[in-house]
Structure formats: structure tokens, C-alpha cells
Amino acid sequence: MRAVHPTPSGTPLAIGAKLRSTRLAQSLTIADVATATGLSTGFISRVERDETSPSVTSLVTLCQVLSLPLGSLFEAPENEVIALADAPFINMGGSNAIERLLTPRGESRVQVLRSRLEPGATGGLELYTINCDVEIVHVLSGSLHVRLVTGTVELATGDTMTLAGREPHSWDNGTDAVTEIIWTIVPAAWSGSS
């Protein structure tokens, strides 16, 4: 019996987008990377467009200049889909609100919550803060009163409000209709991974 050996995939390895996004995140131009690596700008451009395959030496050099672990180029992206029906219920402390966590519990970079606010729902009489850098609320349907130290802001369907992290606030659904909202918290205020 003959041994069966694996065959290479017919799909080319796409690493250019990862190299390009890493370079751009560091505000480096192709010329900057070319100077640091000794590679030509044309070659780097072709690598970023996956039009040529770099040698191992060139790839290691590019990764060193970009402070990018070589192995990260070959890792599968971490994508996770959470259907609304499967999103876990959470309690952020409000009343008459049904809240679901739309991002994975272990995701520490961002947290997205979907809230269904029944008539009279409130975040509480007292203003509260969330330990984050930025908090964003988007009204999917209905309306929302956001209370701040400086006054109240009225949000209607389609409106989005960005709050500075740790800014004292609360909210109310003062209408007789259900309000649906999305909260985005950056970075995540808590993680259920621990």
C-alpha cells in the first residue's frame, strides 16, 4: 500500500491585506517600509495586493519591521456569528428592559448590546457611569430620553448619540410604545470570560 501525502491547496495564500492593514495602522507608507526593509516599493505593493509571493526571508523582514508576528499571517480570522435569538440575556441594571449581549462574552475590545425598552423603562433615577472610553447608543425604533448632568437629550428612531466614557448619564423610555436600541461600549465594560 502506498502512503498518501497531502497535496497543497489550490487556493493562493492571501497575506497582503493583513500586511497592508498593519502598515496603515502604524501610519507607515510603502516608502517607509521599503526604506526600513531594503525592499523596493513596487515589490511591497505587489505583496500587499497578493500579486507576488515573497520569499521567507523577505516575509520575515516585513514582519519584523511591522512588529507583526509571522504566525499571525497564517491564522484563521476569528469570526463569530451570534443570532439574536441565541444572544444571552444580561442585566445592565435598568428596569423594564430586556437586554441581550450581541458580542462574544470573551470579547474585550468592544461590547454590543441590544435592548428592548418597555414603556416606562429606565436606567434608574440616579445617573451612572460605565467604565469605558466611548459609549454609543443607536435608536432602532421608538424614542429615548438620555439624561446627562447638563440636561436631557431626546433621541428618535435612527438617531445615534456618542458619549464620552465615564460620563454620568441615565435613560428613560417615557413613551407608551416599545423602544429598541443598540448600545456599543468601547472597550467592553466587562467580559464574561473570567
Side-chain angles (χ1 to χ4, degrees), residues 168-186:
H169 64 284
S170 193
W171 51 266
D172 302 292
N173 177 7
T175 70
D176 58 358
V178 170
T179 294
E180 296 267 349
I181 60 175
I182 296 283
W183 294 97
T184 304
I185 301 166
V186 180

Side-chain angles (χ1 to χ4, degrees), residues 130-146:
I130 292 183
N131 186 22
C132 65
D133 293 333
V134 178
E135 185 177 355
I136 301 164
V137 60
H138 175 74
V139 181
L140 296 169
S141 65
S143 63
L144 186 71
H145 307 298
V146 179

Side-chain angles (χ1 to χ4, degrees), residues 3-33:
V4 178
H5 298 287
T7 58
S9 167
T11 308
L13 185 60
I15 59 172
K18 179 86 170 191
L19 290 168
R20 182 175 191 273
S21 65
T22 302
R23 174 180 60 78
L24 292 174
Q26 297 176 37
S27 300
L28 295 171
T29 65
I30 289 178
D32 294 332
V33 175

Side-chain angles (χ1 to χ4, degrees), residues 8-193:
S9 167
T11 308
L13 185 60
I15 59 172
K18 179 86 170 191
L19 290 168
R20 182 175 191 273
S21 65
T22 302
R23 174 180 60 78
L24 292 174
Q26 297 176 37
S27 300
L28 295 171
T29 65
I30 289 178
D32 294 332
V33 175
T35 300
T37 61
L39 302 169
S40 73
T41 55
F43 175 75
I44 294 170
S45 177
R46 287 191 305 278
V47 168
E48 286 187 356
R49 293 190 316 264
D50 291 314
E51 293 176 356
T52 190
S53 295
S55 68
V56 172
T57 303
S58 295
L59 190 56
V60 168
T61 301
L62 282 168
C63 286
Q64 287 174 337
V65 166
L66 296 172
S67 298
L68 179 67
L70 184 63
S72 69
L73 292 174
F74 308 104
E75 294 173 349
E78 293 182 24
N79 300 318
E80 186 172 341
V81 174
I82 297 177
L84 181 58
D86 298 331
F89 291 101
I90 60 168
N91 183 349
M92 293 295 283
S95 62
N96 294 326
I98 299 169
E99 298 173 306
R100 290 179 177 261
L101 178 63
L102 301 181
T103 46
R105 286 188 183 275
E107 176 59 68
S108 62
R109 296 167 294 181
V110 65
Q111 200 164 48
V112 179
L113 313 172
R114 182 172 177 143
S115 300
R116 177 185 168 91
L117 309 178
E118 298 296 329
T122 181
L125 294 176
E126 299 293 321
L127 301 183
Y128 65 88
T129 60
I130 292 183
N131 186 22
C132 65
D133 293 333
V134 178
E135 185 177 355
I136 301 164
V137 60
H138 175 74
V139 181
L140 296 169
S141 65
S143 63
L144 186 71
H145 307 298
V146 179
R147 290 183 281 120
L148 306 167
V149 173
T150 57
T152 301
V153 176
E154 306 290 330
L155 300 177
T157 299
D159 290 348
T160 304
M161 180 176 185
T162 302
L163 297 143
R166 300 170 194 85
E167 180 173 341
H169 64 284
S170 193
W171 51 266
D172 302 292
N173 177 7
T175 70
D176 58 358
V178 170
T179 294
E180 296 267 349
I181 60 175
I182 296 283
W183 294 97
T184 304
I185 301 166
V186 180
W190 55 271
S191 171
S193 63

